[in-house]
Amino acid sequence: MRTSLIGALLVVTSAVHAQAPDAAPLALLLPASTRATALGNAWVAGRDEYVLFYNPAQLVAGSGFGVSVGRYASGNTMATLATAATVGPTTLGWGVQAVEFRTSAGTPYPFTPDVLATRGAVEAHSFVVVAGGAMTYKGFRAGLAGKYAEDLISATPSAGVAVAGTVGARTAGTSGVRRGTFLADVGLAHALWVGTAGLSVQNIGRGEKSGTSRIAAPLQTSLAWAAQRQAGQLDLGFASQVTVRDKWVAPGAGIEVGYGWIEGLSVALRVGARRTETGAERPVAVGATVNVDRLQLDYALQSFEGARSAHRLTVRWR
Amino acid sequence: MPRPPIRSAPRAPFRATAPALPALAAALAAPLLIAACSQTLKLAKDDSPLVLAHQTIAAPNPADAGPFKVLRLYYGPGTDKQRSEFRDSVKLKTRPVDISPFATVQPAQVNDRKKYWGFDMKKVPLNGRVWYPEGDGPFPLVLVVHGNHNPRDYSDPGYGYLGELLASRGFILVSVDENFINGLSGENDGRAWLLLKHLQEWKRFNDSTGSPFHHRVDLDNIAIMGHSRGGEAVGHAAAFNRLKYFPDDAKQKFDFGFNIRAVVAIAPVDGQYRPSSQLVPVENVNYLLLHGSHDGDVSTFVGLRTYERLRFTDGKPWFKAAIYMYRANHGQWNTVWNNKDNGPRSGRSLDLRALIAPEEQRQFGKLVISAFLETTLHGKREYLPMFRDHRTAGAWFPKTMYVTRFEEHGYRPLAEFDEDVDLTTGTARGVTIADDSLATWKENVLPFRGRGTDDQRNNGVWIGWNNRIAGTDTTKYGKPASYAITLPDTLAGAWRVSDQSALYLSLAPTKDKPGTRAEAKDTTKKDSTKADSAKKKPAPKPKPPPKKKEEADTIPLDLTVELVDAAGNAARLPLSRFGAVRRPLETRIYRRQGRDETRFQNIFELVLQTYVLPLADFAKAAPQFQPGRLKTIRLLFDRTYLGTVVLDDVGISPAMNPAFRAGELP
């Protein structure tokens, strides 16, 4: 039933706007958590440290420390980490997501996530650093985050990158391109039925400056609902959200099923679907988690057009 | 703005990733397979066929149904939103009470709770589920209250098995509903206060002419029972019952003063509420404490602290008993809770295979609770011996192992090891202590098995011995080590010690094994080493033998108790005559291999066994021994050549009620 609903949403919303509007930096367009990757990137109502990249209101202090690494079949690499702590009535957290990749000369800019699935000769980096906090007031959780995001394309005399934007194309040439911007996110969350509803407005800011004009940051609003339930010996999770960016509407949802047979050992499988930024990204992703006492391994598999893929792994020690 | 074509760049060659998946899955699964092993079931060797081989109490089994027809009813405000029995079936109406001075709800929970229950802490109901005997009475009143549990999985029906039994035997049993304060914290004073408010209602029921209980309630004989947090609450209730004010706020005046004669604590916690920041003092009630070794919730026998604190100060014939039941858990005392000590998924963490069958655990509960109430409220003295020595009722007890504590009001301490830091002095004035050839002699606080700093708040003495003489001759033993408590000359007379008296001691062997005893020095030999030491090199030290893997100690432990009178006449009897002498009962609660070792500092709880030794038995064994002139109590370690025991509560009951001493074992 839920799968049908998700499918229907995908069909309906596909008619609104064919492709995600141009936005940069690239790091803001990538799933920020391994778990979320396999849940349709629907993490605005999720609950962990990585939610800081989605909805600061849902920030929760986790125990221990973990790092997430994404490796694309192309050899491009992404790393994410986030942590949070409770300070008085607030939860404060910070996180960073960085991707290092080589792209081909002539790849249009702003980059889209599928650029990571191929490997070229031009070195590029993109990262976002975010810090935020959340607190509860009368049953509502509210959060605020500030972040800095940047794309960096190295100087490569022999190869150029077509840079699009309001100023038209130009090449990186000998001096390279560095584009950064300060942005803000705000979020709300509240218990709703058996789960949690979340609302976030992300990437509020002026976007990156490109010459005399700007390339828009991916200003977007997301409405989400997520829930976790125990069903006998199984742990069931459901996450869903709808993101609106300009006139582009992107639904996403995922389910997970967890099972533990003895204290300290458990597994979870998850699958999610979403409307992707480009047609080159496959909408469905899968993932799994293995917990062995204090060690937690999260894995997600994301696919791209042409049977290309990306593996993502989070190792966490609690 | 249209995006430039994104596929213009050459694509990186496709890398086949599918074959990597099985490898990754295997890598993920490997640690699971390694770590998934649950431990094999390990239980202490069961000696119950031997220990429970006798039945010397001739009275009817108190766990059997009695002659009364059992009736049931409910009382309360009759407005319960969730439970039809407390809405549609109440026969006696009660008014809600304001528990807010004693129990508060976290602000985040206020709305949810009010929405679910339909009331807040200012108007909580006095709901009771009653089993009572048909007849004119008056019948003793027994209240039982559950502990903390999922508030929506109602706990109060879980004591129906006790209700049916006790009502058939002429008691009114009320299972008190406190589900609406489950899930709170710092509310244990509220649990206690609610119990006393129920007693006020019962006084009204008894006094009201229209009530089915008019003049049918024996308010001179009241017992309160509690399980888990309720087990702590009954201690607070017993204390509040005598107070004029709530200890933490004199604005809350108390006016209870009920004749609570008996208190039963089942797997209780202790110290969740501390009146005036102290552990609650309890006094002058009969007290029964039950706890299971495999309690997966309250995993330490923390109720022992309340047991130790309980004092008898008014000269009335009170007694207290504690029974530690091997393989019993936390929840099986309640038919709703059962084997879910860690919640609905207890089977993941707890080794449920180790648990005794729930019916057997409850049979034990029926047996000892019924016997206790028959004794304390109905005055049936024939069940008293089973609290002194449970072996007198071996046929009634489910076949597992029990460690028991006991004390009656006449007990007077000789040495309790709490009063000072001098190893050579006892508790009673003038009592001295001495050792002979002991390897270990120290006083310390008795620990709980849990990690951390929590302990029994009670000191004992560690006594270790090894009678074997060091050296290659493994057959060479020295004289048995001993530990002697000597009374001042006038004490036996002053206390009127006689052959009607009984010696108390509480003791538990530990697994510690002291090293061999050094050979006594021969002082007549010339010390040649002094003269030659400058010339000769010291002989190389022999290599120590490789350490053997420690094997389970199968040598049964026993010792001799020797009593000596002022004339030097000695009488000796083995301690095992007065109760089982066991090494600690190995207890593994968790399913995961190694989890118990991680979570607990010991895989056993140090529970001392109380031995009550009638002096008449010693006089019988050695007719020249005169109990009235008792001078020395000596523990003689001549029956097991090495070991360590922890000893506490050595004392004398000068004139023990003969009813306790009945049912002597063959």
Side-chain angles (χ1 to χ4, degrees), chain A residues 19-20 22 73 104 106 108 110 112 114 118-119 165 230 232-235 260-263 265 280 293 297 299 307 309, chain B residues 1 3-12 14-15 17 21 24 28 32 35-36 38 345 348-349 591-592 595 599:
Chain A
Q19 188 164 270
D22 286 349
S104 305
T112 50
D114 62 313
T118 58
R119 184 102 172 151
Q230 289 187 354
Q233 295 299 311
L234 298 179
D235 292 305
W261 56 99
I262 190 167
E263 184 191 14
L265 302 177
D293 291 329
L297 300 174
Y299 169 76
S309 58
Chain B
M1 193 186 87
R3 186 195 296 270
I6 58 170
R7 296 293 163 224
S8 55
R11 188 173 294 164
F14 167 66
R15 283 200 209 167
T17 56
L21 286 177
L24 185 66
L28 292 176
L32 277 178
S38 57
R345 294 172 174 181
R348 287 187 188 180
S349 55
R591 213 178 128 204
R592 276 289 293 280
R595 192 60 101 217
R599 299 236 169 126

Side-chain angles (χ1 to χ4, degrees), chain B residues 17-250:
Chain B
T17 56
L21 286 177
L24 185 66
L28 292 176
L32 277 178
L33 291 172
I34 293 165
C37 307
S38 57
Q39 65 183 344
T40 53
L41 180 62
K42 290 180 186 169
L43 296 170
K45 192 183 174 194
D46 182 14
D47 63 10
S48 63
L50 192 65
V51 174
L52 301 178
H54 303 284
Q55 173 76 34
T56 57
I57 297 176
N61 187 337
D64 290 344
F68 291 94
K69 184 183 174 188
V70 178
L71 305 174
R72 299 156 197 89
L73 64 75
Y74 302 93
Y75 67 84
T79 55
D80 201 275
K81 200 174 162 186
Q82 301 294 340
R83 293 161 295 178
S84 61
E85 63 268 34
F86 289 127
R87 182 181 58 244
D88 307 326
S89 304
V90 294
K91 282 204 174 164
L92 291 162
K93 291 267 186 171
T94 60
R95 286 185 178 175
V97 294
D98 179 3
I99 197 177
S100 61
F102 312 99
T104 49
V105 180
Q106 293 289 322
Q109 296 180 17
V110 168
N111 288 341
D112 282 351
R113 282 184 168 263
K114 190 167 182 183
K115 189 175 169 187
Y116 181 79
W117 292 108
F119 53 81
D120 59 17
M121 292 293 107
K122 289 185 178 297
K123 285 188 175 177
V124 303
L126 295 174
N127 288 333
R129 190 179 289 265
V130 186
W131 292 261
Y132 63 104
E134 187 179 57
D136 293 337
F139 301 108
L141 176 64
V142 182
L143 266 55
V144 61
V145 65
H146 58 83
N148 194 45
H149 186 70
N150 177 357
R152 300 181 186 196
D153 184 25
Y154 313 119
S155 300
D156 55 304
Y159 307 102
Y161 70 101
L162 287 174
E164 296 290 338
L165 172 72
L166 294 176
S168 77
R169 298 184 71 89
F171 300 91
I172 299 168
L173 185 105
V174 185
S175 184
V176 170
D177 167 32
E178 294 191 359
N179 291 287
F180 43 82
I181 54 172
N182 273 352
L184 304 183
S185 57
E187 83 304 340
N188 215 297
D189 45 341
R191 292 178 188 269
W193 179 81
L194 265 184
L195 274 182
L196 296 168
K197 297 305 283 184
H198 275 262
L199 288 181
Q200 285 182 333
E201 288 300 312
W202 275 94
K203 185 172 184 310
R204 188 172 63 83
F205 297 161
N206 189 55
D207 293 345
S208 305
T209 49
S211 156
F213 295 109
H214 180 54
H215 289 172
R216 290 183 176 182
V217 187
D218 180 1
L219 291 171
D220 287 330
N221 283 295
I222 295 172
I224 50 177
M225 301 198 291
H227 182 187
S228 194
R229 287 193 192 184
E232 177 181 325
V234 290
H236 298 309
F240 288 178
N241 186 47
R242 294 190 169 97
L243 299 179
K244 289 183 177 174
Y245 301 101
F246 178 43
D248 294 347
D249 183 1

